[in-house]
Amino acid sequence: NSIQDSIYNESKCSDAPSPPPVPFPSNPNASSECTFVEQHALNGTDMTKGSVASKEECCGACRMTPGCAASDFVVASRMRPTFEGITTGGTCHLKRAYEPKPEIQGET
């Protein structure tokens, strides 16, 4: 069927092996050495992700991780907890490249 064919073929992006998983740093030090861009998400697959207390800790995690070029911090809440179920701080997504998603007119 066409759905199965699509799933099978779309998952084959290349014959190159995926990079090995990268561990998220434990207890990253907060850093203000990053440029923070509010309301902008990043494209690309995560190198790794973890729960942190702040965007500054997310910056510190990126600076501690070899190959990290950018980080994406998503604030947690009771309605949107981190992937670990934590409702404070947020989820830090570490990226190999800085590739901002295009802005969608009307969204803030």
Side-chain angles (χ1 to χ4, degrees), residues 18-22 43-48 66-70 94-99:
S18 297
V22 175
N43 282 318
T45 304
D46 293 349
M47 296 174 65
T48 188
C68 183
L94 302 185
K95 308 286 187 173
R96 294 184 194 283
Y98 176 70
E99 297 174 9

Side-chain angles (χ1 to χ4, degrees), residues 38-100:
E38 300 291 329
Q39 302 295 322
H40 284 80
L42 299 176
N43 282 318
T45 304
D46 293 349
M47 296 174 65
T48 188
K49 66 183 176 182
S51 294
V52 294
S54 65
K55 65 183 179 184
E56 291 82 9
E57 271 192 21
C58 188
C59 172
C62 184
R63 293 178 56 80
M64 293 173 65
T65 305
C68 183
S71 59
D72 202 353
F73 176 73
V74 180
V75 177
S77 68
R78 290 174 50 98
M79 295 297 291
R80 187 178 186 177
T82 70
F83 69 100
E84 295 169 324
I86 299 170
T87 58
T88 60
T91 301
C92 179
H93 302 264
L94 302 185
K95 308 286 187 173
R96 294 184 194 283
Y98 176 70
E99 297 174 9

